[in-house]
Amino acid sequence: MKWMIASDLHGSALTCRALFDAFEREQAQRILFLGDLLYHGPRNDLPDEYAPKEVIALLNARKDRILCVRGNCDTEVDQMVLEFPILADYALLPVGDKTVFITHGHKFNAQNLPPLKAGDAVLHGHTHIPIWEEHGGIYVLNPGSVTIPKAGSSRGYMLLEDGTFTWKTLEGEAYHTLTL
């Protein structure tokens, strides 16, 4: 199965439409959101085309293909308008004989790793900065932000297929890969 992985949408209808265009272009079967879907948060400027109601409609139209974990900006009110679960603090995804711990990143991250074994991975968003690091044999991966990239990074996402993560710009240009 091919997964598209994105984080920190922050209510931008412009970015949401572009992401779903990329989803179709990539022919992914599922999309995994690492939180912060609708609200921009108090530390961020309003994103381009900030339109949470439009984003709600775009997401709900694809509810059968979405897996999501809760971001620090996601609330129970957001869950009331979204037709798929968003409030789990984490999820586990088996990739071959490895485990990928999926979370937003405000609780578990490189400085606070969950209990995993060497070769497993923590996949998170939150920082808006793409990363691929190894800490004590555990991979820490972040696609960056699809809407509000930071530290000079590009708007982007990741793909996961056959145990290989590929980081891409929103336009589809691959710039890094890592195989578990």
Side-chain angles (χ1 to χ4, degrees):
M1 176 179 294
K2 183 188 259 188
W3 288 84
M4 176 179 268
I5 303 162
S7 191
D8 298 282
L9 187 56
H10 289 293
S12 171
L14 174 73
T15 304
C16 191
R17 288 190 304 273
L19 182 65
F20 283 126
D21 287 347
F23 182 78
E24 296 301 322
R25 180 181 68 237
E26 297 285 1
Q27 298 181 340
Q29 285 80 42
R30 296 272 190 171
I31 187 161
L32 168 60
F33 282 107
L34 304 176
D36 286 358
L37 297 178
L38 301 178
Y39 180 53
H40 67 287
R43 294 177 295 181
N44 297 309
D45 292 331
L46 282 174
D48 294 336
E49 279 191 47
Y50 181 66
K53 288 182 181 178
E54 186 175 342
V55 171
I56 291 165
L58 290 165
L59 294 172
N60 283 341
R62 294 158 179 88
K63 64 185 174 189
D64 61 331
R65 295 186 275 173
I66 295 174
L67 175 67
C68 185
V69 293
R70 180 183 200 155
N72 60 306
C73 293
D74 298 323
T75 69
E76 291 181 23
V77 171
D78 299 335
Q79 183 63 86
M80 292 171 68
V81 296
L82 292 168
E83 298 171 0
F84 54 92
I86 69 162
L87 296 179
D89 286 328
Y90 70 93
L92 300 175
L93 181 67
V95 176
D97 63 345
K98 309 293 186 210
T99 298
V100 178
F101 184 95
I102 301 162
T103 191
H104 181 61
H106 61 295
K107 293 180 183 177
F108 292 104
N109 49 52
Q111 289 72 43
N112 185 32
L113 294 171
L116 295 169
K117 62 181 178 50
D120 290 343
V122 176
L123 174 60
H124 72 82
H126 185 59
T127 64
H128 298 223
I129 302 168
I131 60 168
W132 47 87
E133 301 172 345
E134 189 178 338
H135 295 267
I138 297 170
Y139 295 101
V140 180
L141 314 175
N142 187 323
S145 174
V146 72
T147 298
I148 307 170
K150 296 186 178 175
S153 63
S154 296
R155 296 175 189 223
Y157 58 90
M158 294 165 62
L159 296 175
L160 170 59
E161 186 174 29
D162 298 327
T164 298
F165 290 90
T166 304
W167 282 254
K168 290 190 165 191
T169 65
L170 194 53
E171 294 75 29
E173 179 185 338
Y175 62 92
H176 188 74
T177 61
L178 182 138
T179 301
L180 287 186

